[in-house]
Each structure stands twice: as structure tokens, then as C-alpha cells.
Amino acid sequence: MHLAPRVLRRAAAGATVALLATAVGCAPQPEADASATSSASAGKSCAKGELATKTSGKLTVATDQPAYEPWFKDDKPANGEGFESAVAYAVAQRLGYGKSAVVWQSVPFNKAFAPGEKTFDFDINQVSISAERKKAVDFSSGYYDVRQAVIALKGSKAAKATGIADLKGLKLGAQVGTTSLDYIDDVVKPSREAAVYAKNDQAKSALKNGQVDAIVVDLPTAFYITSAEVTNAEIVGQFENQGGTPEQFGLVLDKGSALTSCVTDAVDALRKDGTLAKIEQQWLSDAVDAPVLK
């Protein structure tokens, strides 16, 4: 969803972490505007360890299952390893909840940002911030800037693509509900309908079996897939940001959650003090540059 043994799911997210720090998990949002603080959360107390969480004294954090690398390690979100696991615990610490007070919950990617009351305090699952998703849920400010990338089998026609025009006649695939799928539909606009999969695992299998010419995933996931899972595949290239602003992953909260402003403050503080950059360096730094598809 590390390189080397942890070689670099969804949304959906560069030569360096800076380039990687550009989706299911959409529409680009400026960093300063990424927060969706609601009137219900305004003015709420952010007293450490005393937030209005689902379970008093505990912080319930959700993600999908399986939890992919490099975002998590060994499909164990609670071990603190992997970029998003580390970010979740850093945010929890800022909010006054130690590791023992964090409770993990499995929630499917699409369900995380679907309308309806949530069973978690926040979800961390490569969910890109978008105006459409903000109609149903709140987001924290962005914790990671990401780009989308194309993967194809080595030596294939798709692998020779150097621009978006070269992708238009191909059969492309991506996970349902992700920015990756949006890039196929809205940027590539292929002549053939995109293949849509419930999980990235299914998209990878389709690529290996020749059912699609190429798949689209976020760039860190692309590096992991090509280095550790589908080693006869390669990254064809990455897409430019659309609209001049980076696509960002954000923490997902209930619409009107009393925690939104507190969680956003925590993310902003972690960005300001360099913690997010350090976590990126640890878990995503092995990625290298990928050509930009124009």
C-alpha cells in the first residue's frame, strides 16, 4: 500500500520523499485548505487524553484489511511500523494517547468515507481529500502529498508509453473508489472502459494474468509492487498533479466530529516540527524518481 525488504493500496500516494510527498484511497486540495473543520468541532477542548472519543480514554483508529506496505508492515497496523501506522501513533501521542490507548479497527476503504456514523475516531487508509468526500465526512489537514503512477509488465506495449496519449487505447485497471481510478477516467480518458477491482490485490492479479495492460496506484505502492510483488512489472511513469495543487491523504472523521479540529492541529504540529518528514524518510525514502506522463 517498503522498499528493499520493505520495498515500496489504494488511492489511491518521486526521486525523493519530497517528490513522493505529493490516493483510496481524490481531488487535489491545497494544504492550507485541506482541513474540514466543522462548526460542531469549533471551540471544542483538545485537552490531552480527554477527548470525546468513541471509548473514554481510548483512541479508536481504523484502516482496511489487508494493510499494505509501505503504509503498514506485515499486515499489522498495531505494530507501529510502516508510514501510516507510525503517523497514526504520532497523532495519537499529540492528542495525549499512548500506544496502549490506541485501539485498531478494520474498516473497508470505501466504507471509511461513505455517509453514516462512524465506529472509529479517525481512519488512516490512503484516503485522498476531496470536495466530494467532504460532503459525507470530515478530514484532517493533509499528512502526505501523493502522486498516481502507472504499472505495466516489462516489455509490454504499455511499458513503452511515454505520455498520456499512449495510454488511451489500453485496458487499464484500478481499485474502486480511488483517486487512481479517477485519473484513468478523468485524465487518461481511455477508449476502453477501465477494469474496476474491490482490492489492489485483484488489480495486481489481473495485471499478472494479462487481463489488463496496466494498473494505476499511488506512487509509493507502485514502487513496492514492482520491487516485491510483481517483479516482472515496472513503473511506466507518474501523473502530474491536477489543478496545480497536490493531492493529499487526510485522516477521515465523522461528519461534524468534535475531534476534527484537534486532530488537524495535531497533524499540523507534526508537519511543522518535522515529525512527518522524519517518518517519510524512514518508511518511504527508498523510492526513486519516475518519469512524468504528460
Side-chain angles (χ1 to χ4, degrees), residues 33-190:
D33 297 328
S35 172
T37 305
S38 67
S39 57
S41 62
K44 295 292 183 180
S45 170
C46 293
K48 289 194 171 185
E50 299 179 6
L51 304 184
T53 55
K54 297 294 183 181
T55 302
S56 180
K58 299 289 185 180
L59 187 69
T60 302
V61 181
T63 196
D64 203 352
Q65 189 176 34
Y68 298 99
E69 298 194 24
W71 312 107
F72 300 91
K73 175 130 178 76
D74 299 328
D75 192 19
K76 296 177 181 178
N79 64 15
E81 298 186 59
F83 178 76
E84 289 193 327
S85 181
V87 168
Y89 281 115
V91 171
Q93 191 68 43
R94 278 279 178 178
L95 295 174
Y97 297 87
K99 190 170 183 179
S100 62
V102 176
V103 178
W104 286 89
Q105 186 179 97
S106 177
V107 173
F109 178 73
N110 276 348
K111 189 174 180 179
F113 51 87
E117 185 177 356
K118 306 307 176 192
T119 57
F120 50 79
D121 293 310
F122 68 76
D123 178 278
I124 183 166
N125 192 23
Q126 306 111 66
V127 181
S128 296
I129 301 166
S130 75
E132 183 64 27
R133 289 175 177 174
K134 283 182 181 180
K135 294 176 183 178
V137 295
D138 281 0
F139 279 96
S140 70
S141 52
Y143 63 88
Y144 184 69
D145 301 348
V146 67
R147 287 191 176 190
Q148 300 299 315
V150 179
I151 299 174
L153 297 181
K154 294 176 181 177
S156 66
K157 178 181 177 181
K160 297 178 174 64
T162 58
I164 293 173
D166 299 325
L167 303 173
K168 290 186 179 294
L170 303 178
K171 182 67 173 179
L172 305 176
Q175 182 176 339
V176 64
T178 59
T179 307
S180 305
L181 182 57
D182 290 341
Y183 268 74
I184 294 175
D185 293 337
D186 302 335
V187 178
V188 179
K189 300 178 181 178

Side-chain angles (χ1 to χ4, degrees), residues 133-255:
R133 289 175 177 174
K134 283 182 181 180
K135 294 176 183 178
V137 295
D138 281 0
F139 279 96
S140 70
S141 52
Y143 63 88
Y144 184 69
D145 301 348
V146 67
R147 287 191 176 190
Q148 300 299 315
V150 179
I151 299 174
L153 297 181
K154 294 176 181 177
S156 66
K157 178 181 177 181
K160 297 178 174 64
T162 58
I164 293 173
D166 299 325
L167 303 173
K168 290 186 179 294
L170 303 178
K171 182 67 173 179
L172 305 176
Q175 182 176 339
V176 64
T178 59
T179 307
S180 305
L181 182 57
D182 290 341
Y183 268 74
I184 294 175
D185 293 337
D186 302 335
V187 178
V188 179
K189 300 178 181 178
S191 57
R192 304 169 67 184
E193 186 176 359
V196 183
Y197 302 97
K199 298 278 187 179
N200 263 341
D201 278 346
Q202 296 171 349
K204 289 182 291 188
S205 294
L207 178 64
K208 287 191 287 187
N209 296 333
Q211 296 168 303
V212 292
D213 298 309
I215 60 174
V216 179
V217 296
D218 61 77
L219 188 56
T221 298
F223 278 104
Y224 181 73
I225 289 173
T226 55
S227 299
E229 297 183 316
V230 189
T231 54
N232 64 328
E234 61 181 287
I235 297 174
V236 178
Q238 60 179 309
F239 294 105
E240 292 182 298
N241 288 320
Q242 300 302 300
T245 54
E247 175 190 345
Q248 293 187 313
F249 291 158
L251 305 177
V252 182
L253 301 94
D254 252 329
K255 187 68 178 175

